[in-house]
Amino acid sequence: MKKKTAIILALLLTACLFFSGCSDPHPSGESARIKVVTSFYPVYIAALNLVDGVDGVELQNLTQPTTGCLHDYQLTPQDLIAMEGADVLAINGAGMEDFLSKVLESYPSVTLITASDGIELLEEEHDHEGHDHEAEDHDHGEEGNPHVWVSITNYMQYVQNIADGLSRADPQNEAIYQINAQKYKAKLSDLKTKMHGAIDPLPNRGIVTFHEAFGYFAEEFGLHVEAVIEREPGTDPTVQELTETIDKVEESGCRALFAEPQYEPRLAQTISAETGAKVYTLDPCVSGAYEKDAYLKAMEENLNQLVEALGQ
Ligand SMILES: [Zn+2]
């Protein structure tokens, strides 16, 4: 397996040597002028747009692109290798990277960028209060719902915060970071307008989700989250909670359940079978391909799903 990877890397390197103008976002071979590490997927995608055309930046994501949200995340030795030589660390903040606070003490010279700075946090919902989520709530601190990037308005602020942080850490390229931020935010703004145009007239506003990732998104588009079934992936509801949820879905008259592509649809299918509500997909953009337009594409697909689900 490792041999295979090495061969592929060698081939890619050769390809890069032959095709001039081939830009490698991970120039690990050559010595980068500045190394920027991001904590997880949405921060990485924002940074990928911002470092475009800046020479000598090595951009690396701390966690694997398949990791998803970092609730209860445990750092691996590989993650710590990524931190070696880091000049800048860009994180979501709002309690998403609590596991990093101790690690950061070992890297006192790293410039920290907190993408959620200045964004007003929603309170976390406590659908399953009094049950076994109490300990988890405590772990996540009292900061509020950390999924700020799922609202496009917030994500635009997020992108600007990262651009400002990069400009401070690498002032000679400030102009490029700021131009890239303007360009990316213009695309996001156009997408937001398009989404409002399609979502605002939809007759149904109720959604049921499976992870507390859509609070900010729902607020942005005037949707109502009737129920969040698993507050975080892997925290299965009890039988009583499941029964209550099924009652809630039936009472609300909600016809659409929104599972996430990152997680198993089993629970959604159970509730669908009980209530007759159909299962759709909403992507909170916490994992996927390392490509610049990944967030835009995920939101476009969310729009398609919402129009289909809430249009009748
Ligand atoms: Zn999450």
Side-chain angles (χ1 to χ4, degrees):
M1 195 60 193
K2 270 189 182 153
K3 225 178 220 175
K4 220 176 190 178
T5 312
I7 291 168
I8 290 167
L9 281 174
L11 285 173
L12 279 174
L13 192 65
T14 315
C16 277
L17 289 174
F18 276 99
F19 298 98
S20 59
C22 167
S23 72
D24 180 1
H26 307 279
S28 45
E30 63 209 72
S31 64
R33 193 174 43 77
I34 178 170
K35 180 172 177 181
V36 178
V37 177
T38 56
S39 61
F40 80 133
Y41 191 71
V43 188
Y44 181 87
I45 297 302
L48 192 57
N49 281 276
L50 294 169
V51 303
D52 191 28
V54 180
D55 280 336
V57 176
E58 181 185 355
L59 177 62
Q60 200 173 351
N61 197 28
L62 188 66
T63 52
Q64 296 303 303
T66 48
T67 303
C69 272
L70 300 177
H71 320 286
D72 304 322
Y73 186 73
Q74 304 284 331
L75 273 176
T76 68
Q78 230 179 341
D79 299 338
L80 290 173
I81 293 170
M83 277 303 291
E84 288 305 321
D87 301 293
V88 176
L89 174 65
I91 65 169
N92 179 77
M96 184 61 89
E97 294 94 348
D98 283 346
F99 64 94
L100 272 180
S101 50
K102 278 202 190 91
V103 177
L104 280 177
E105 289 168 13
S106 319
Y107 301 91
S109 62
V110 167
T111 302
L112 187 68
I113 301 173
T114 306
S116 63
D117 264 353
I119 296 173
E120 201 180 318
L121 300 185
L122 291 175
E123 271 183 41
E124 285 205 83
E125 284 178 33
H126 293 277
D127 270 22
H128 307 308
E129 231 171 346
H131 297 284
D132 49 359
H133 295 287
E134 268 183 357
E136 195 194 357
D137 290 345
H138 185 72
D139 280 344
H140 289 169
E142 307 301 322
E143 293 188 68
N145 187 328
H147 306 90
V148 294
W149 72 90
V150 190
S151 135
I152 300 176
T153 306
N154 285 347
Y155 184 63
M156 287 164 69
Q157 165 92 56
Y158 202 88
V159 167
Q160 189 59 52
N161 285 340
I162 301 170
D164 292 346
L166 290 172
S167 301
R168 280 193 300 274
D170 183 21
Q172 71 186 78
N173 288 302
E174 177 173 7
I176 310 181
Y177 294 124
Q178 295 298 332
I179 288 167
N180 285 345
Q182 291 313 316
K183 278 191 199 160
Y184 190 34
K185 280 163 61 184
K187 285 186 194 171
L188 290 162
S189 178
D190 287 349
L191 175 65
K192 189 171 77 166
T193 305
K194 177 182 167 184
M195 288 180 75
H196 270 296
I199 294 171
D200 293 354
L202 293 177
N204 303 311
R205 317 301 302 175
I207 63 173
V208 173
T209 66
F210 289 79
H211 167 196
E212 208 174 36
F214 290 96
Y216 297 93
F217 180 89
E219 190 183 53
E220 172 136 278
F221 292 109
L223 301 171
H224 186 246
V225 180
E226 304 282 357
V228 178
I229 291 156
E230 287 176 279
R231 284 191 50 249
E232 288 307 337
T235 57
D236 272 350
T238 63
V239 173
Q240 193 202 337
E241 284 165 357
L242 191 60
T243 313
E244 283 167 11
T245 303
I246 288 167
D247 290 346
K248 219 175 186 177
V249 172
E250 281 176 340
E251 271 168 39
S252 71
C254 200
R255 308 307 302 146
L257 308 172
F258 291 93
E260 289 173 34
Q262 287 84 8
Y263 311 112
E264 260 203 84
R266 179 179 49 84
L267 198 58
Q269 283 157 358
T270 307
I271 296 165
S272 172
E274 292 292 326
T275 61
K278 265 183 83 176
V279 182
Y280 297 89
T281 317
L282 280 182
D283 186 354
C285 199
V286 287
S287 67
Y290 278 163
E291 55 181 49
K292 282 196 288 177
D293 288 341
Y295 181 94
L296 297 164
K297 283 183 186 167
M299 284 296 166
E300 289 271 3
E301 188 47 35
N302 287 342
L303 173 61
N304 293 339
Q305 292 284 309
L306 284 168
V307 168
E308 198 190 325
L310 304 179
Q312 56 244 324

